[in-house]
Amino acid sequence: MIKLVLDRPRCEGHGLCVEVAAQLLHIDDEGYAAIDVSEISDAILATAQAAARVCPVAALKLIGEEAT
Amino acid sequence: MSALRNSVRDIVVVGSGIAGLTACDTLRAEGFDGRITVIGDETVAPYSRPALSKAMLRDQDDLTSHLLPEATHGALERRGIAATGLDVDRQRVRLADGDEVPYDALIISTGTRARRLGLVNRSDEYTVRTLADALALRARLASRPSVVVMGGGPLGMEIASGAIGAGCATTLVAKGVPLAAHLGALLAARFHDAAVAQGLKIVKADSAEVVMYDGTSVVALGDGTVIEAQVIVSAIGDAPNVEWLATAELLTGGALVVDRRGLVRPNIAAVGDVAAFPHAGRVARVPLWTSAIDQAKVAAAALLRVDAPELTFQQYFWTEAFGISLKAIGPTPVVGKAEIVEGTLEQGLLRWRQSDGTATAVALDYRVPIPKLRRLTARSLP
C-alpha cells in the first residue's frame, strides 16, 4: 500500500495540498498540513500525487510508489 | 467528461519545469494514454524554483528543499537538450542535435531566463534562476565575499537575505524602497526595516551597469557612484525563452500569447512563465509557482477536450526575507489603508479592498492556510 507522509518541519503551511486534496489533508490549528488519510488506494492515488506535486517545499511524499 | 480527441496520440512537452511536469500529470489524469515526450535543456529532474532563493540559500546543510516527488507520468524524458526550432506545418520540434520530434499536440513550457546587467555569462555576475545558478551562488557565499545585489524585487530581497544570513557584507541596489513596487509601501516598510536592522545596506539608484574597473567588475550607478563587491548578483527580472519559436509565427509582438484555455493554436498550448495569458483585464505573464500549475492544468485538458474549462486565475504570491514571511492572495501592490482581520499590522491577517470589488488578503508573519486567505478575498463578504 502506498502511504502519504508529511515532513512537518519542512511544511510552510501554504495549504496548496489541501486545495487539491481536501479529502486527504487539512490544515491544523498551528497552520501546518495534517494528513487524514495516509493509506493511498488506487482510487485516490491521482489526488494524492497532485497534493504532493503542488507542494513548493517538498514536504509531502508518497512512499512505496512504483515508478509507473 | 466528453470523449478525448482520438487524433491526439503523440504529445510533446518542451520545457521541464513545474509547468511542463504538471501538464504531463494532467494529461494522464484526463485519461490520455498515448505517448508523451518531454524535452528540457536542464540535465536534472524538475525542481521547485521558489525554494532556490529561499531555503536553498538559508539552510546550512539541507540541500533537498527543492526536490519534487518523482514523476509518475511515464513520459519519455530527454534531458540536457534544447529545442532550437519549431515547424508548425510539419508538426515537428527541432532539437540542438539536429533530431526532429513529431507531435500531434505540443505544449510549450520553456520558461524564462534571468536578465543580466553585464556581458552575457561573465563569471562574476551571478543570477538565481536555475538550480545550477543557486548552487553556484550558495557555494560562493560560503567564503563570505562582499556582495552587491542588483534589484529591489522579491528575488533580490530573498537573495540579499540569504547573503546576510551567510555572513556577507551586503549591499542592495534598488530604484526605490525594495518591494514597494511589488507589495505597496506599508508591507515594503516591514521588510525594509528588518533588512536594515540585520545590516543590509540599501542604495537607491535609477540606473546601473556592471563595468570593468582595474581588472574587476564593479557596479556603476547612474549618478557616478561606483560600488565594488566580490560578488554581483543580478535580480532584475526575467526574459521569456521564445527565440526557438522565431520562425514558427506563433508570437504576437514578441510575446507568446495564449487564449483563456492556454492555447496558441488548437493543437499548441503554452504554459508557465513563458506564456502571456488574459487575466484581470490584461494579457501578461505571471511568473509564479501556482500560476504555472494552474495554467498547465487548464491547457493540458484543453488540448484533449473541446469542452475543457477556461482558466480562473487568482494570484498567489509568497516571499520570505530577513525573518519575515508574507503570503498574498489577490492583486499586488496594495494601496491605501489595511483592514486588520486578525492580529496586528506587524503580525497578522490583513485585507485591502479595491473599488472594483476585488480584494487582496495578506498573511504577514502569520500562519494561515491558503484556502482561508482565499475566502477573505471573496466578493460577498460576511
Side-chain angles (χ1 to χ4, degrees), chain A residues 4 15-27 34-51 60, chain B residues 371:
Chain A
L4 181 64
L16 301 173
C17 55
V18 175
E19 286 199 307
V20 299
Q23 66 271 50
L24 305 183
L25 311 101
H26 70 277
I27 295 291
I35 292 174
D36 300 312
V37 180
S38 61
E39 309 254 299
I40 304 301
S41 66
D42 285 351
I44 54 174
L45 180 59
T47 304
Q49 283 170 335
L60 272 178

PDB file of all heavy atoms in Angstrom, chain A residues 4 15-27 34-51 60, chain B residues 371:
ATOM      1  N   LEU A   4       0.940   8.209   2.207  1.00  0.00           N
ATOM      2  CA  LEU A   4       1.193   9.650   2.087  1.00  0.00           C
ATOM      3  C   LEU A   4       1.821  10.119   3.399  1.00  0.00           C
ATOM      4  O   LEU A   4       1.253   9.901   4.473  1.00  0.00           O
ATOM      5  CB  LEU A   4      -0.126  10.386   1.824  1.00  0.00           C
ATOM      6  CG  LEU A   4      -0.060  11.903   1.635  1.00  0.00           C
ATOM      7  CD1 LEU A   4       0.733  12.280   0.386  1.00  0.00           C
ATOM      8  CD2 LEU A   4      -1.471  12.482   1.547  1.00  0.00           C
ATOM      9  N   GLY A  15      -0.749  25.354   2.209  1.00  0.00           N
ATOM     10  CA  GLY A  15      -2.084  24.783   2.102  1.00  0.00           C
ATOM     11  C   GLY A  15      -2.523  24.473   0.691  1.00  0.00           C
ATOM     12  O   GLY A  15      -3.692  24.190   0.428  1.00  0.00           O
ATOM     13  N   LEU A  16      -1.593  24.519  -0.252  1.00  0.00           N
ATOM     14  CA  LEU A  16      -1.951  24.209  -1.643  1.00  0.00           C
ATOM     15  C   LEU A  16      -2.377  22.758  -1.767  1.00  0.00           C
ATOM     16  O   LEU A  16      -3.242  22.415  -2.581  1.00  0.00           O
ATOM     17  CB  LEU A  16      -0.758  24.498  -2.562  1.00  0.00           C
ATOM     18  CG  LEU A  16      -0.241  25.950  -2.531  1.00  0.00           C
ATOM     19  CD1 LEU A  16       1.032  26.085  -3.338  1.00  0.00           C
ATOM     20  CD2 LEU A  16      -1.307  26.893  -3.058  1.00  0.00           C
ATOM     21  N   CYS A  17      -1.786  21.882  -0.940  1.00  0.00           N
ATOM     22  CA  CYS A  17      -2.152  20.460  -0.949  1.00  0.00           C
ATOM     23  C   CYS A  17      -3.605  20.270  -0.540  1.00  0.00           C
ATOM     24  O   CYS A  17      -4.322  19.445  -1.093  1.00  0.00           O
ATOM     25  CB  CYS A  17      -1.228  19.666  -0.022  1.00  0.00           C
ATOM     26  SG  CYS A  17      -1.173  20.297   1.673  1.00  0.00           S
ATOM     27  N   VAL A  18      -4.024  21.056   0.446  1.00  0.00           N
ATOM     28  CA  VAL A  18      -5.405  20.948   0.922  1.00  0.00           C
ATOM     29  C   VAL A  18      -6.383  21.411  -0.156  1.00  0.00           C
ATOM     30  O   VAL A  18      -7.478  20.883  -0.289  1.00  0.00           O
ATOM     31  CB  VAL A  18      -5.580  21.781   2.215  1.00  0.00           C
ATOM     32  CG1 VAL A  18      -7.030  21.789   2.664  1.00  0.00           C
ATOM     33  CG2 VAL A  18      -4.685  21.221   3.318  1.00  0.00           C
ATOM     34  N   GLU A  19      -5.953  22.361  -0.946  1.00  0.00           N
ATOM     35  CA  GLU A  19      -6.828  22.845  -2.013  1.00  0.00           C
ATOM     36  C   GLU A  19      -7.097  21.778  -3.070  1.00  0.00           C
ATOM     37  O   GLU A  19      -8.158  21.757  -3.673  1.00  0.00           O
ATOM     38  CB  GLU A  19      -6.226  24.084  -2.682  1.00  0.00           C
ATOM     39  CG  GLU A  19      -6.334  25.321  -1.815  1.00  0.00           C
ATOM     40  CD  GLU A  19      -6.170  26.597  -2.622  1.00  0.00           C
ATOM     41  OE1 GLU A  19      -5.164  26.727  -3.345  1.00  0.00           O
ATOM     42  OE2 GLU A  19      -7.040  27.461  -2.524  1.00  0.00           O
ATOM     43  N   VAL A  20      -6.113  20.920  -3.322  1.00  0.00           N
ATOM     44  CA  VAL A  20      -6.324  19.899  -4.354  1.00  0.00           C
ATOM     45  C   VAL A  20      -6.762  18.556  -3.765  1.00  0.00           C
ATOM     46  O   VAL A  20      -7.206  17.685  -4.494  1.00  0.00           O
ATOM     47  CB  VAL A  20      -5.059  19.677  -5.236  1.00  0.00           C
ATOM     48  CG1 VAL A  20      -4.685  20.956  -5.951  1.00  0.00           C
ATOM     49  CG2 VAL A  20      -3.883  19.163  -4.429  1.00  0.00           C
ATOM     50  N   ALA A  21      -6.603  18.383  -2.437  1.00  0.00           N
ATOM     51  CA  ALA A  21      -6.927  17.085  -1.843  1.00  0.00           C
ATOM     52  C   ALA A  21      -7.519  17.256  -0.443  1.00  0.00           C
ATOM     53  O   ALA A  21      -7.007  16.730   0.539  1.00  0.00           O
ATOM     54  CB  ALA A  21      -5.676  16.212  -1.785  1.00  0.00           C
ATOM     55  N   ALA A  22      -8.613  17.979  -0.382  1.00  0.00           N
ATOM     56  CA  ALA A  22      -9.234  18.269   0.924  1.00  0.00           C
ATOM     57  C   ALA A  22      -9.707  16.995   1.624  1.00  0.00           C
ATOM     58  O   ALA A  22      -9.855  16.972   2.847  1.00  0.00           O
ATOM     59  CB  ALA A  22     -10.390  19.244   0.747  1.00  0.00           C
ATOM     60  N   GLN A  23      -9.918  15.921   0.830  1.00  0.00           N
ATOM     61  CA  GLN A  23     -10.381  14.677   1.449  1.00  0.00           C
ATOM     62  C   GLN A  23      -9.235  13.899   2.091  1.00  0.00           C
ATOM     63  O   GLN A  23      -9.455  12.955   2.827  1.00  0.00           O
ATOM     64  CB  GLN A  23     -11.122  13.799   0.426  1.00  0.00           C
ATOM     65  CG  GLN A  23     -10.264  13.252  -0.715  1.00  0.00           C
ATOM     66  CD  GLN A  23     -10.202  14.188  -1.906  1.00  0.00           C
ATOM     67  OE1 GLN A  23      -9.932  15.372  -1.777  1.00  0.00           O
ATOM     68  NE2 GLN A  23     -10.441  13.650  -3.102  1.00  0.00           N
ATOM     69  N   LEU A  24      -7.982  14.341   1.827  1.00  0.00           N
ATOM     70  CA  LEU A  24      -6.823  13.625   2.361  1.00  0.00           C
ATOM     71  C   LEU A  24      -6.090  14.382   3.456  1.00  0.00           C
ATOM     72  O   LEU A  24      -5.413  13.778   4.294  1.00  0.00           O
ATOM     73  CB  LEU A  24      -5.820  13.320   1.226  1.00  0.00           C
ATOM     74  CG  LEU A  24      -6.351  12.554   0.013  1.00  0.00           C
ATOM     75  CD1 LEU A  24      -5.206  12.283  -0.956  1.00  0.00           C
ATOM     76  CD2 LEU A  24      -7.008  11.258   0.451  1.00  0.00           C
ATOM     77  N   LEU A  25      -6.177  15.709   3.425  1.00  0.00           N
ATOM     78  CA  LEU A  25      -5.442  16.513   4.395  1.00  0.00           C
ATOM     79  C   LEU A  25      -6.276  17.704   4.869  1.00  0.00           C
ATOM     80  O   LEU A  25      -7.239  18.086   4.223  1.00  0.00           O
ATOM     81  CB  LEU A  25      -4.155  17.098   3.773  1.00  0.00           C
ATOM     82  CG  LEU A  25      -3.193  16.242   3.010  1.00  0.00           C
ATOM     83  CD1 LEU A  25      -3.379  16.425   1.520  1.00  0.00           C
ATOM     84  CD2 LEU A  25      -1.768  16.599   3.396  1.00  0.00           C
ATOM     85  N   HIS A  26      -5.848  18.265   5.999  1.00  0.00           N
ATOM     86  CA  HIS A  26      -6.398  19.553   6.408  1.00  0.00           C
ATOM     87  C   HIS A  26      -5.254  20.379   6.997  1.00  0.00           C
ATOM     88  O   HIS A  26      -4.146  19.880   7.174  1.00  0.00           O
ATOM     89  CB  HIS A  26      -7.541  19.371   7.418  1.00  0.00           C
ATOM     90  CG  HIS A  26      -7.083  18.875   8.763  1.00  0.00           C
ATOM     91  ND1 HIS A  26      -6.856  17.540   9.024  1.00  0.00           N
ATOM     92  CD2 HIS A  26      -6.767  19.538   9.909  1.00  0.00           C
ATOM     93  CE1 HIS A  26      -6.452  17.393  10.286  1.00  0.00           C
ATOM     94  NE2 HIS A  26      -6.373  18.585  10.835  1.00  0.00           N
ATOM     95  N   ILE A  27      -5.533  21.644   7.288  1.00  0.00           N
ATOM     96  CA  ILE A  27      -4.547  22.485   7.962  1.00  0.00           C
ATOM     97  C   ILE A  27      -4.900  22.491   9.448  1.00  0.00           C
ATOM     98  O   ILE A  27      -6.043  22.758   9.823  1.00  0.00           O
ATOM     99  CB  ILE A  27      -4.583  23.922   7.395  1.00  0.00           C
ATOM    100  CG1 ILE A  27      -4.155  23.928   5.922  1.00  0.00           C
ATOM    101  CG2 ILE A  27      -3.673  24.850   8.199  1.00  0.00           C
ATOM    102  CD1 ILE A  27      -2.704  23.620   5.675  1.00  0.00           C
ATOM    103  N   ALA A  34      -1.891  18.571   7.893  1.00  0.00           N
ATOM    104  CA  ALA A  34      -2.054  17.358   8.688  1.00  0.00           C
ATOM    105  C   ALA A  34      -2.766  16.328   7.820  1.00  0.00           C
ATOM    106  O   ALA A  34      -3.741  16.650   7.143  1.00  0.00           O
ATOM    107  CB  ALA A  34      -2.864  17.656   9.945  1.00  0.00           C
ATOM    108  N   ILE A  35      -2.242  15.109   7.842  1.00  0.00           N
ATOM    109  CA  ILE A  35      -2.780  14.072   6.970  1.00  0.00           C
ATOM    110  C   ILE A  35      -3.934  13.338   7.646  1.00  0.00           C
ATOM    111  O   ILE A  35      -3.831  12.913   8.796  1.00  0.00           O
ATOM    112  CB  ILE A  35      -1.653  13.079   6.577  1.00  0.00           C
ATOM    113  CG1 ILE A  35      -0.644  13.794   5.669  1.00  0.00           C
ATOM    114  CG2 ILE A  35      -2.236  11.849   5.883  1.00  0.00           C
ATOM    115  CD1 ILE A  35       0.581  12.970   5.341  1.00  0.00           C
ATOM    116  N   ASP A  36      -5.050  13.224   6.949  1.00  0.00           N
ATOM    117  CA  ASP A  36      -6.200  12.494   7.462  1.00  0.00           C
ATOM    118  C   ASP A  36      -6.245  11.074   6.907  1.00  0.00           C
ATOM    119  O   ASP A  36      -6.646  10.148   7.579  1.00  0.00           O
ATOM    120  CB  ASP A  36      -7.496  13.220   7.085  1.00  0.00           C
ATOM    121  CG  ASP A  36      -7.535  14.631   7.657  1.00  0.00           C
ATOM    122  OD1 ASP A  36      -7.246  14.788   8.857  1.00  0.00           O
ATOM    123  OD2 ASP A  36      -7.815  15.558   6.890  1.00  0.00           O
ATOM    124  N   VAL A  37      -5.844  10.921   5.655  1.00  0.00           N
ATOM    125  CA  VAL A  37      -5.841   9.605   5.003  1.00  0.00           C
ATOM    126  C   VAL A  37      -4.427   9.319   4.536  1.00  0.00           C
ATOM    127  O   VAL A  37      -3.914   9.975   3.632  1.00  0.00           O
ATOM    128  CB  VAL A  37      -6.805   9.577   3.795  1.00  0.00           C
ATOM    129  CG1 VAL A  37      -6.786   8.205   3.127  1.00  0.00           C
ATOM    130  CG2 VAL A  37      -8.213   9.960   4.220  1.00  0.00           C
ATOM    131  N   SER A  38      -3.751   8.381   5.171  1.00  0.00           N
ATOM    132  CA  SER A  38      -2.357   8.116   4.800  1.00  0.00           C
ATOM    133  C   SER A  38      -2.229   6.889   3.901  1.00  0.00           C
ATOM    134  O   SER A  38      -1.285   6.777   3.129  1.00  0.00           O
ATOM    135  CB  SER A  38      -1.488   7.947   6.048  1.00  0.00           C
ATOM    136  OG  SER A  38      -1.948   6.848   6.800  1.00  0.00           O
ATOM    137  N   GLU A  39      -3.190   5.955   4.002  1.00  0.00           N
ATOM    138  CA  GLU A  39      -3.158   4.766   3.157  1.00  0.00           C
ATOM    139  C   GLU A  39      -3.823   5.113   1.818  1.00  0.00           C
ATOM    140  O   GLU A  39      -5.018   5.389   1.774  1.00  0.00           O
ATOM    141  CB  GLU A  39      -3.914   3.622   3.823  1.00  0.00           C
ATOM    142  CG  GLU A  39      -3.485   3.368   5.255  1.00  0.00           C
ATOM    143  CD  GLU A  39      -2.651   2.108   5.382  1.00  0.00           C
ATOM    144  OE1 GLU A  39      -3.172   1.039   5.047  1.00  0.00           O
ATOM    145  OE2 GLU A  39      -1.477   2.215   5.794  1.00  0.00           O
ATOM    146  N   ILE A  40      -3.005   5.121   0.775  1.00  0.00           N
ATOM    147  CA  ILE A  40      -3.496   5.626  -0.506  1.00  0.00           C
ATOM    148  C   ILE A  40      -3.846   4.470  -1.448  1.00  0.00           C
ATOM    149  O   ILE A  40      -2.970   3.774  -1.955  1.00  0.00           O
ATOM    150  CB  ILE A  40      -2.447   6.548  -1.159  1.00  0.00           C
ATOM    151  CG1 ILE A  40      -2.072   7.685  -0.204  1.00  0.00           C
ATOM    152  CG2 ILE A  40      -2.981   7.106  -2.477  1.00  0.00           C
ATOM    153  CD1 ILE A  40      -3.219   8.569   0.236  1.00  0.00           C
ATOM    154  N   SER A  41      -5.147   4.291  -1.671  1.00  0.00           N
ATOM    155  CA  SER A  41      -5.602   3.252  -2.600  1.00  0.00           C
ATOM    156  C   SER A  41      -5.517   3.780  -4.030  1.00  0.00           C
ATOM    157  O   SER A  41      -5.317   4.973  -4.252  1.00  0.00           O
ATOM    158  CB  SER A  41      -7.055   2.883  -2.274  1.00  0.00           C
ATOM    159  OG  SER A  41      -7.885   3.994  -2.535  1.00  0.00           O
ATOM    160  N   ASP A  42      -5.669   2.893  -4.981  1.00  0.00           N
ATOM    161  CA  ASP A  42      -5.609   3.303  -6.388  1.00  0.00           C
ATOM    162  C   ASP A  42      -6.633   4.390  -6.703  1.00  0.00           C
ATOM    163  O   ASP A  42      -6.387   5.279  -7.512  1.00  0.00           O
ATOM    164  CB  ASP A  42      -5.858   2.093  -7.304  1.00  0.00           C
ATOM    165  CG  ASP A  42      -4.629   1.179  -7.341  1.00  0.00           C
ATOM    166  OD1 ASP A  42      -3.580   1.599  -6.802  1.00  0.00           O
ATOM    167  OD2 ASP A  42      -4.733   0.074  -7.891  1.00  0.00           O
ATOM    168  N   ALA A  43      -7.791   4.304  -6.038  1.00  0.00           N
ATOM    169  CA  ALA A  43      -8.872   5.239  -6.342  1.00  0.00           C
ATOM    170  C   ALA A  43      -8.500   6.679  -6.011  1.00  0.00           C
ATOM    171  O   ALA A  43      -9.000   7.613  -6.635  1.00  0.00           O
ATOM    172  CB  ALA A  43     -10.135   4.838  -5.562  1.00  0.00           C
ATOM    173  N   ILE A  44      -7.629   6.861  -5.007  1.00  0.00           N
ATOM    174  CA  ILE A  44      -7.275   8.230  -4.614  1.00  0.00           C
ATOM    175  C   ILE A  44      -5.809   8.547  -4.894  1.00  0.00           C
ATOM    176  O   ILE A  44      -5.297   9.592  -4.485  1.00  0.00           O
ATOM    177  CB  ILE A  44      -7.577   8.480  -3.115  1.00  0.00           C
ATOM    178  CG1 ILE A  44      -6.904   7.413  -2.245  1.00  0.00           C
ATOM    179  CG2 ILE A  44      -9.066   8.520  -2.871  1.00  0.00           C
ATOM    180  CD1 ILE A  44      -7.032   7.681  -0.751  1.00  0.00           C
ATOM    181  N   LEU A  45      -5.147   7.673  -5.642  1.00  0.00           N
ATOM    182  CA  LEU A  45      -3.714   7.873  -5.909  1.00  0.00           C
ATOM    183  C   LEU A  45      -3.449   9.163  -6.684  1.00  0.00           C
ATOM    184  O   LEU A  45      -2.549   9.933  -6.330  1.00  0.00           O
ATOM    185  CB  LEU A  45      -3.155   6.669  -6.684  1.00  0.00           C
ATOM    186  CG  LEU A  45      -1.661   6.751  -7.041  1.00  0.00           C
ATOM    187  CD1 LEU A  45      -0.811   6.898  -5.782  1.00  0.00           C
ATOM    188  CD2 LEU A  45      -1.228   5.502  -7.825  1.00  0.00           C
ATOM    189  N   ALA A  46      -4.253   9.412  -7.707  1.00  0.00           N
ATOM    190  CA  ALA A  46      -4.021  10.612  -8.524  1.00  0.00           C
ATOM    191  C   ALA A  46      -4.184  11.873  -7.689  1.00  0.00           C
ATOM    192  O   ALA A  46      -3.424  12.836  -7.841  1.00  0.00           O
ATOM    193  CB  ALA A  46      -4.977  10.627  -9.715  1.00  0.00           C
ATOM    194  N   THR A  47      -5.154  11.846  -6.787  1.00  0.00           N
ATOM    195  CA  THR A  47      -5.374  13.004  -5.913  1.00  0.00           C
ATOM    196  C   THR A  47      -4.180  13.206  -4.977  1.00  0.00           C
ATOM    197  O   THR A  47      -3.706  14.323  -4.769  1.00  0.00           O
ATOM    198  CB  THR A  47      -6.659  12.793  -5.081  1.00  0.00           C
ATOM    199  OG1 THR A  47      -7.735  12.566  -5.983  1.00  0.00           O
ATOM    200  CG2 THR A  47      -6.964  14.008  -4.234  1.00  0.00           C
ATOM    201  N   ALA A  48      -3.681  12.105  -4.417  1.00  0.00           N
ATOM    202  CA  ALA A  48      -2.529  12.196  -3.514  1.00  0.00           C
ATOM    203  C   ALA A  48      -1.289  12.680  -4.259  1.00  0.00           C
ATOM    204  O   ALA A  48      -0.508  13.485  -3.744  1.00  0.00           O
ATOM    205  CB  ALA A  48      -2.263  10.833  -2.874  1.00  0.00           C
ATOM    206  N   GLN A  49      -1.128  12.206  -5.480  1.00  0.00           N
ATOM    207  CA  GLN A  49       0.012  12.659  -6.289  1.00  0.00           C
ATOM    208  C   GLN A  49      -0.086  14.148  -6.567  1.00  0.00           C
ATOM    209  O   GLN A  49       0.911  14.878  -6.513  1.00  0.00           O
ATOM    210  CB  GLN A  49       0.068  11.887  -7.611  1.00  0.00           C
ATOM    211  CG  GLN A  49       0.632  10.485  -7.453  1.00  0.00           C
ATOM    212  CD  GLN A  49       0.476   9.643  -8.706  1.00  0.00           C
ATOM    213  OE1 GLN A  49      -0.407   9.891  -9.525  1.00  0.00           O
ATOM    214  NE2 GLN A  49       1.323   8.640  -8.848  1.00  0.00           N
ATOM    215  N   ALA A  50      -1.293  14.607  -6.858  1.00  0.00           N
ATOM    216  CA  ALA A  50      -1.481  16.036  -7.133  1.00  0.00           C
ATOM    217  C   ALA A  50      -1.143  16.866  -5.903  1.00  0.00           C
ATOM    218  O   ALA A  50      -0.552  17.946  -6.005  1.00  0.00           O
ATOM    219  CB  ALA A  50      -2.915  16.300  -7.580  1.00  0.00           C
ATOM    220  N   ALA A  51      -1.484  16.364  -4.733  1.00  0.00           N
ATOM    221  CA  ALA A  51      -1.189  17.080  -3.488  1.00  0.00           C
ATOM    222  C   ALA A  51       0.320  17.176  -3.266  1.00  0.00           C
ATOM    223  O   ALA A  51       0.850  18.225  -2.893  1.00  0.00           O
ATOM    224  CB  ALA A  51      -1.854  16.380  -2.305  1.00  0.00           C
ATOM    225  N   LEU A  60       5.567  16.987   1.238  1.00  0.00           N
ATOM    226  CA  LEU A  60       4.682  15.820   1.118  1.00  0.00           C
ATOM    227  C   LEU A  60       5.314  14.780   0.218  1.00  0.00           C
ATOM    228  O   LEU A  60       5.842  15.105  -0.851  1.00  0.00           O
ATOM    229  CB  LEU A  60       3.344  16.236   0.496  1.00  0.00           C
ATOM    230  CG  LEU A  60       2.227  16.716   1.411  1.00  0.00           C
ATOM    231  CD1 LEU A  60       1.038  17.100   0.547  1.00  0.00           C
ATOM    232  CD2 LEU A  60       1.834  15.652   2.419  1.00  0.00           C
TER     233      LEU A  60
ATOM    234  N   PRO B 371      -6.535  28.378   1.686  1.00  0.00           N
ATOM    235  CA  PRO B 371      -7.984  28.421   1.468  1.00  0.00           C
ATOM    236  C   PRO B 371      -8.670  29.512   2.296  1.00  0.00           C
ATOM    237  O   PRO B 371      -9.600  30.171   1.832  1.00  0.00           O
ATOM    238  CB  PRO B 371      -8.443  27.017   1.884  1.00  0.00           C
ATOM    239  CG  PRO B 371      -7.242  26.151   1.655  1.00  0.00           C
ATOM    240  CD  PRO B 371      -6.066  27.012   1.999  1.00  0.00           C
TER     241      PRO B 371
END
